[in-house]
Amino acid sequence: MNNQKNYTNGVIFSLVNCLSLGILGIVDKIGILQSNNPLVFSTQSLLFSVLFTVIFVLAYFKGLPIQGIKKMSFSAWKLIILIGIFSSTLFMLFRFLGLTQATGTFATLSQIITTSLTALLAWIFLKERLSKLFWLLFVVIIVSVYFVSIGKITLATVKAGDMFIIYGTFFLAIGNIFSRLAVEKVDPILVSVLRLFFGLIFLLLIGSIFLGGAGWSGIFSNFSIWAILSGFLVSTGVLGFNLAIKRLGITFGTSILMMAPVITMILEYSFLNYHFTLVQIVAALVVVISGVALILANNRTGPKLTST
């Protein structure tokens, strides 16, 4: 019963993360286009994500979790600092740099690239073993999301902005592996707030080097509603992510997130008047159906999803 409850809660947390990522895709694109500096916008987004997460932590623990922090081992601190550097600082910086130039194709594809790299690293380093049916649905979703992104059956060209996003996905995949190790040592909620905190610290250090005094004033002034909304969605996504991988394992927990580009696609159609081809619509339906099948299939084989 406890395994079933953990599985169900893990799927719910992962779906919350998926929804946050789907909305975040369009929020960040609009926000970065209106911003004069991707470093400023990314730092503002991360700043608000820390604030929202701290508020959640205070409400959840009914105060500061001093005892939980004191009990953390030196190895746990190292993991969380590495997560902050890879998942929050480097990933967000390269992602926002890419969004200023990207065609939009690889901005959407970044989630499946991250998931694929995470699955490979988890197989090598965490020894996660999943069923053949899982991997079949995994590949189907990857191919389908690719067609959702480009809108036709062809290979996409890689532009300068796309390369920044690809670099960011490598950093995030590495951070995901560290996250899976960290949630086994520390409460996932503490991992979330400390990851964002250290990510913000290192991003501020980068900002102080490249922006100077004028850059600091820009970071702490002229906040846009998009930066605030982005911070809220980042906070929600990170909390959902860490709570999910604690229960599902890193590979399955991130595989559900491949449905996020479909959410972005629906929002683009609804609010930005984007039009989509028949290939994109069919591929989006395949992603949703495969995602549901993946969840149902692994519900029957849930115990195999955790790392050994």
Side-chain angles (χ1 to χ4, degrees):
M1 181 62 70
N2 288 335
N3 285 341
Q4 180 61 41
K5 184 178 180 181
N6 276 334
Y7 179 84
T8 302
N9 289 340
V11 170
I12 292 173
F13 289 132
S14 194
L15 289 174
V16 169
N17 188 12
C18 180
L19 180 61
S20 298
L21 285 175
I23 301 173
L24 188 64
I26 190 171
V27 168
D28 282 348
K29 183 64 178 179
I30 295 173
I32 202 66
L33 289 175
Q34 294 185 359
S35 173
N36 294 324
N37 193 311
L39 181 56
V40 169
F41 185 84
S42 58
T43 306
Q44 290 177 338
S45 172
L46 199 52
L47 173 62
F48 282 111
S49 71
V50 171
L51 294 176
F52 284 120
T53 309
V54 167
I55 292 172
F56 178 84
V57 167
L58 292 175
Y60 180 82
F61 290 104
K62 298 180 180 179
L64 290 173
I66 302 297
Q67 293 302 318
I69 294 175
K70 286 183 177 180
K71 291 179 180 178
M72 289 173 55
S73 64
F74 180 68
S75 61
W77 279 107
K78 287 194 299 183
L79 281 172
I80 291 175
I81 291 173
L82 287 172
I83 296 167
I85 294 173
F86 283 100
S87 297
S88 292
T89 303
L90 295 175
F91 166 66
M92 290 192 69
L93 180 60
F94 278 92
R95 181 173 182 268
F96 283 113
L97 285 172
L99 281 172
T100 62
Q101 307 174 48
T103 59
T105 298
F106 273 82
T108 306
L109 284 172
S110 64
Q111 183 53 55
I112 64 169
I113 296 172
T114 301
T115 302
S116 304
L117 290 171
T118 300
L120 178 62
L121 293 174
W123 180 72
I124 295 172
F125 296 106
L126 302 181
K127 309 301 180 184
E128 288 197 356
R129 298 293 181 260
L130 296 154
S131 66
K132 293 180 181 179
L133 178 59
F134 171 90
W135 289 111
L136 174 62
L137 292 169
F138 185 89
V139 173
V140 169
I141 292 174
I142 287 178
V143 175
S144 300
V145 172
Y146 178 83
F147 290 133
V148 167
S149 301
I150 65 175
K152 53 186 176 180
I153 304 176
T154 185
L155 295 177
T157 57
V158 180
K159 303 296 179 64
D162 300 332
M163 290 306 302
F164 282 120
I165 293 175
I166 291 175
Y167 297 148
T169 63
F170 279 98
F171 293 126
L172 183 59
I174 295 171
N176 285 345
I177 301 302
F178 290 137
S179 295
R180 180 68 176 101
L181 296 172
V183 296
E184 293 299 320
K185 299 174 179 288
V186 183
D187 188 302
I189 295 175
L190 275 181
V191 173
S192 300
V193 69
L194 291 174
R195 160 193 163 169
L196 293 171
F197 173 76
F198 283 114
L200 176 62
I201 294 299
F202 287 112
L203 204 55
L204 286 172
L205 288 175
I206 293 174
S208 65
I209 294 172
F210 290 98
L211 298 179
W216 279 95
S217 62
I219 290 173
F220 295 102
S221 63
N222 300 321
F223 294 116
S224 71
I225 185 64
W226 300 110
I228 298 173
L229 185 55
S230 175
F232 174 77
L233 292 169
V234 169
S235 173
T236 304
V238 170
L239 286 166
F241 172 76
N242 286 315
L243 288 167
I245 64 173
K246 171 74 174 179
R247 294 160 173 80
L248 301 177
I250 190 66
T251 305
F252 181 47
T254 55
S255 66
I256 297 176
L257 306 183
M258 289 192 290
M259 292 189 286
V262 177
I263 298 173
T264 303
M265 171 183 169
I266 294 172
L267 292 174
E268 287 175 336
Y269 175 80
S270 302
F271 298 103
L272 298 182
N273 296 319
Y274 282 21
H275 297 284
F276 300 97
T277 66
L278 179 61
V279 171
Q280 288 175 299
I281 295 171
V282 172
L285 290 174
V286 172
V287 169
V288 173
I289 294 171
S290 299
V292 172
L294 184 146
I295 293 170
L296 295 176
N298 282 280
N299 189 25
R300 295 192 294 270
T301 58
K304 296 180 182 179
L305 293 172
T306 56
S307 60
T308 57

